[in-house]
Amino acid sequence: MCGLDGILDVLYDYDAVRPALTRETLAAAPRTQWRYRPLLPLPATAALPTAPVGWTPVFDAPPLAARFGLAGVLLKDEGRNPTGSLKDRASSVGAAHAAASACRQITCASTGNAASSLAGMSAQLGLQAFIFVPASVSQAKLTQMLIHGARVFLVRGTYEDAFALSMGASERFGWYNRNSAINPLLVEGKKTAGLEIAEQTGPDLPDVVVVPLGDGCTLAGTWKGLREMHALGLSPRVPRMIGVQASGAAPIAAALAEDRDVTPVPVQTIADGIAVGTPRNWRKALNAVRASGGTIVTVRDEEILDAMRLLAEAVGVWAEPAALAGVAALPVLREAGLVGRSERVLVLLTGHGLKDPAAARGAAGGRAVEIEATAEAVEEALR
Ligand SMILES: *Cc1c(COP(=O)(O)O)cnc(C)c1O
């Protein structure tokens, strides 16, 4: 059957993995997320997508550290994945697992990136992707889905409506279910972000890792990866995990603050990637935040747009609204005393700015004027 029920945790025999994943084996491994094959739930014979996924750069951002009064700010830019978001980590594992299970059709619901990514990974492995997205999806993300050959249903409704349709269709038609809120193998893909953070920073592991929070799989997955590297003796400790929600879509932040279960909320935010009113993986996300000594904060859309401009101008990286929620959270975390002056923070940037240009226009500091094709017109415009 091409489906899986419940949000389970994939566990490994870490004693058996240890000899297969050492500093020596890693030194010779491919510079993609597939370097962690012993920690991924795929048969050894599974075909993988051609486009390299993962091993995205981690780099210092001194202008951000100076501005917010921190010992260091590290960025990990997931916008450099093949379809421009962290979702490629999960979609590649899901598509590879479907293909290895002889499933030829695969489905997901998405606010945009999971679908763009699934489309990109599926065709490479000979799968047909069936995608359910809200009709309000960003045009850039929709075009990605179509260029990679997906069949797309533009649902007149919310992400929750799209999710229900995708779940129903998976059951009815026997399509492989790539919804990471349901399929535990997808979190295993996302965890490679955490494995990489631990390996790439080595002994200089940051004190805090800040991650945008929608369904909760990215945060839970990143934390699982960081813990596994620690368990394997490849990382000195496990950082605090801080989740960031948009203030217009913050059911997990509210649950943490009030020490209760998550209840669904209506959503209103430009950060479509984290516009999730009914999160499916909130228990794992809350567990990661609590167990690591972290927290969850919220940022307003205006703060996200300010951070977009700052990141683009000071650091040269353009990320989409949801992707840079962690940057927008830095002043919030400093003012609330949740991160100390002597601490080093890694911010996970989850998707590229080109994915949603319309959302960015309000943030842009540059100016464009249309002119006649004459030198005089240039002088005139400069006056
Ligand atoms: C999906 C997504 C997130 C959040 O991931 P969850 O697993 O839903 O918490 C953050 N940023 C971007 C750009 C995304 O596409």
Side-chain angles (χ1 to χ4, degrees):
M1 161 176 142
C2 296
L4 286 159
D5 275 328
I7 313 180
L8 305 169
D9 239 334
V10 179
L11 297 177
Y12 301 82
D13 177 353
Y14 294 105
D15 289 334
V17 169
R18 206 164 277 125
L21 209 63
T22 63
R23 292 206 166 80
E24 291 69 43
T25 64
L26 285 170
R31 295 166 78 78
T32 66
Q33 72 174 10
W34 308 117
R35 62 200 280 104
Y36 307 111
R37 264 311 262 282
L39 279 176
L40 290 171
L42 292 171
T45 52
L48 302 176
T50 307
V53 178
W55 204 248
T56 55
V58 170
F59 51 96
D60 247 311
L64 299 187
R67 176 153 179 145
F68 300 119
L70 285 158
V73 173
L74 297 169
L75 302 173
K76 183 167 175 65
D77 185 7
E78 292 295 304
R80 307 224 201 157
N81 277 301
T83 76
S85 87
L86 176 139
K87 297 293 195 292
D88 285 341
R89 296 181 182 277
S91 294
S92 56
V93 171
H97 184 248
S101 316
C103 297
R104 288 282 150 245
Q105 287 98 19
I106 186 165
T107 184
C108 79
S110 170
T111 59
N113 282 337
S116 308
S117 167
L118 182 63
M121 296 301 144
S122 296
Q124 296 177 62
L125 294 169
L127 308 175
Q128 177 65 57
F130 294 92
I131 280 161
F132 296 83
V133 285
S136 60
V137 66
S138 119
Q139 288 302 305
K141 293 178 188 180
L142 174 59
T143 306
Q144 284 188 294
M145 297 168 213
L146 299 175
I147 206 76
H148 290 300
R151 295 270 301 271
V152 180
F153 298 95
L154 294 165
V155 179
R156 295 190 194 110
T158 62
Y159 167 61
E160 280 68 41
D161 298 321
F163 182 79
L165 288 176
S166 171
M167 293 299 293
S170 166
E171 193 126 310
R172 172 122 199 257
F173 305 116
W175 298 339
Y176 185 94
N177 191 335
R178 178 252 176 261
N179 288 304
S180 42
I182 291 296
N183 183 336
L185 302 193
L186 280 292
V187 174
E188 292 301 294
K190 288 187 174 182
K191 101 184 164 186
T192 59
L195 298 173
E196 289 179 15
I197 290 169
E199 189 186 348
Q200 289 171 307
T201 60
D204 299 324
L205 192 72
D207 301 291
V208 179
V209 173
V210 185
V211 178
L213 183 53
D215 262 323
C217 302
T218 303
L219 189 146
T222 303
W223 187 60
K224 187 169 191 270
L226 288 162
R227 267 189 319 149
E228 287 184 345
M229 288 297 269
H230 180 58
L232 291 170
L234 293 168
S235 186
R237 344 170 232 106
V238 183
R240 307 208 294 288
M241 298 298 302
I242 294 186
V244 185
Q245 297 216 278
S247 54
I252 308 181
L256 179 68
E258 293 159 27
D259 198 22
R260 57 163 171 79
D261 283 1
V262 164
T263 47
V265 298
V267 298
Q268 179 61 53
T269 173
I270 55 162
D272 65 351
I274 50 172
V276 182
T278 310
R280 314 279 162 177
N281 219 342
W282 59 267
R283 265 185 218 285
K284 274 192 190 167
L286 276 183
N287 181 33
V289 162
R290 288 200 178 108
S292 70
T295 190
I296 300 173
V297 294
T298 62
V299 291
R300 288 176 291 110
D301 282 0
E302 308 87 86
E303 292 172 312
I304 289 175
L305 290 175
D306 286 348
M308 184 184 289
R309 181 170 166 179
L310 172 67
L311 185 67
E313 292 188 358
V315 183
V317 175
W318 182 23
E320 68 176 307
L324 53 77
V327 177
L330 290 177
V332 177
L333 292 167
R334 287 293 291 123
E335 272 155 38
L338 295 166
V339 174
R341 175 168 291 281
S342 63
E343 294 197 291
R344 292 172 60 253
V345 178
L346 184 142
V347 179
L348 195 62
L349 301 173
T350 45
H352 200 285
L354 282 169
K355 283 180 155 283
D356 194 358
R361 280 317 266 276
R367 275 189 299 159
V369 289
E370 190 169 325
I371 57 165
E372 294 303 326
T374 65
E376 291 73 37
V378 176
E379 275 173 41
E380 177 72 21
L382 285 173
R383 229 174 268 134

